[in-house]
Amino acid sequence: MDTAGGGPATPEGVRGAPARPGRVIVATVLVGVLLIAALGAGAASLYREFYSPRAFVQHYLELLQERRTAEALALPGVAVDSADLESAGLPATASEALLRPDALAALTDAEITGESTDGDRTQITVSYTAGGYSGRTTFSVQHDTNEGLLPRWRFARSPLSVMKLTVDGSMRFAVNGFEVDKRQVSLDGADVDPTAAVPLLVFSPGLYSVNVDTAISATPGVAVLADAPLASVPVELQAQPTDEFISVVQSRVEDFLTACAQQQVLQPTGCPFGFTVRNRIDDAPTWSIVQQPVVTVVPDGAGWRIPSADAVAHIVVDIRSIFDGSVRTVEEDVAFRVDGEITVLPDGTASILVGGSPSD
């Protein structure tokens, strides 16, 4: 049957059924998918920035850059005990004296350059500039045992290292300007062996410049880069005597020889020169030092020594002949050599023991 409009008949209710709701459902599903994807991307970005192994290592580096050493030590896996050190083949008695802001050199430009996974451990490689020197270090990170809902990480191998520092010629030295005394950082205290290496815990990465600058001895700075976790960093330093110290020793040696010359005997007691006669002396001899030795000072284990140096004394003595009783005046130069040992005492003063012998 035709309708008034002349078109085909349409069942009632079909003409008014629109197609739009289907498209709305599809659009809603699409928005949901995009929202989930965005949330996933945001979560991934959040994880990468705050909760990933690289974020954990980056935070450690930032703490070192800002010299916040106490917070760096508090990070999981940083602090070590004697058992950790022994298992790594390091001295169990390493001192913590350098784990402080005053002993750190500048650390800049730190950035993550690599990341890889091996089993339950993640290796994070970083590059940086430490005290003006470029470096590269790889840290091993694993899940923390105290992990909760959010991932937490810890160093699988502590980023601390041990500097084995041997300083000959001085009980005191400085690391990056921070003053250290061997007797303060050794378990042996005042009985520490001055020639033994002193083990000191240090942060890695880090540049450590060691020098001696005292009234007695000095050295140019020696810089070492600690760039590996739980590694040994050996440093050996030989202090040299200062000009001031050599001048003081020269003066003390001259005073000693002058005192020797005041003894009016042929063989001054405890002195490196003397004179022998076969006849009798008619009067007490007179000594004078006509050539003082030119003193130098060289390292000798924990102390110092004075290498043998030439000197000349002069004697004037009247000698009476045992045959005819005649008296004659003898004036003679007596060559001899001077040496000595110098011990630096606990209070920083030096004990000088002068010796010597007649010249051959």
Side-chain angles (χ1 to χ4, degrees), residues 33-357:
V33 170
L34 292 175
L35 181 59
I36 292 172
L39 289 174
S45 176
L46 189 66
Y47 170 80
R48 182 180 179 85
E49 185 173 354
F50 295 104
Y51 301 107
S52 65
R54 63 191 299 131
F56 174 73
V57 172
Q58 187 69 51
H59 180 52
Y60 167 75
L61 296 172
E62 289 171 354
L63 292 176
L64 292 188
Q65 289 180 112
E66 297 169 7
R67 301 176 186 268
R68 294 155 62 186
T69 55
E71 293 175 63
L73 279 172
L75 290 179
V78 175
V80 292
D81 56 25
S82 58
D84 296 326
L85 294 171
E86 285 181 344
S87 64
L90 299 171
T93 58
S95 169
E96 298 181 355
L98 299 183
L99 300 180
R100 62 183 70 210
D102 294 345
L104 290 184
L107 182 68
T108 58
D109 305 323
E111 69 173 311
I112 308 296
T113 58
E115 179 177 348
S116 63
T117 302
D118 182 11
D120 63 345
R121 298 191 176 185
T122 301
Q123 313 301 319
I124 304 295
T125 300
V126 303
S127 64
Y128 48 82
T129 300
Y133 293 85
S134 298
R136 187 181 183 88
T137 300
T138 298
F139 298 100
S140 182
V141 176
Q142 64 185 15
H143 282 280
D144 190 10
T145 53
N146 296 322
E147 190 173 49
L149 293 177
L150 294 174
R152 292 188 60 185
W153 302 91
R154 67 181 294 109
F155 287 105
R157 187 177 179 86
S158 170
L160 300 182
S161 296
V162 175
M163 181 192 298
K164 292 183 179 179
L165 179 58
T166 302
V167 178
D168 289 330
S170 179
M171 293 294 280
R172 292 188 293 133
F173 54 90
V175 180
N176 289 339
F178 178 71
E179 295 283 342
V180 180
D181 190 303
K182 295 178 186 178
R183 293 159 291 195
Q184 296 174 339
V185 297
S186 170
L187 291 180
D188 295 328
D191 297 325
V192 62
D193 179 357
T195 63
V198 178
L200 300 160
L201 285 166
V202 294
F203 287 104
S204 64
L207 186 79
Y208 295 89
S209 177
V210 186
N211 75 296
V212 174
D213 186 11
T214 69
I216 290 178
S217 57
T219 66
V222 174
V224 293
L225 181 64
D227 60 356
L230 273 187
S232 175
V233 184
V235 182
E236 295 186 7
L237 205 60
Q238 175 62 67
Q240 298 297 326
T242 62
D243 291 342
E244 178 185 1
F245 183 37
I246 294 175
S247 176
V248 169
V249 174
Q250 176 76 48
S251 178
R252 295 295 180 270
V253 170
E254 291 180 5
D255 291 345
F256 169 76
L257 295 177
T258 299
C260 282
Q262 292 174 354
Q263 298 185 40
Q264 293 183 309
V265 294
L266 291 175
Q267 300 290 336
T269 303
C271 299
F273 57 84
F275 191 72
T276 302
V277 298
R278 288 188 172 182
N279 295 290
R280 299 172 183 171
I281 60 173
D282 194 57
D283 199 359
T286 301
W287 288 98
S288 60
I289 305 299
V290 295
Q291 178 185 320
Q292 290 282 4
V294 178
V295 169
T296 57
V297 178
V298 297
D300 184 25
W304 309 88
R305 65 180 177 86
I306 303 170
S308 184
D310 293 325
V312 178
H314 184 78
I315 187 171
V316 178
V317 60
D318 292 333
I319 299 177
R320 182 178 295 276
S321 171
I322 59 175
F323 295 105
D324 59 13
S326 62
V327 177
R328 65 187 179 91
T329 300
V330 173
E331 293 191 31
E332 189 170 327
D333 286 343
V334 178
F336 63 98
R337 300 182 68 81
V338 173
D339 55 29
E341 297 178 357
I342 305 171
T343 303
V344 179
L345 304 177
D347 63 358
T349 59
S351 171
I352 304 173
L353 178 63
V354 181
S357 62

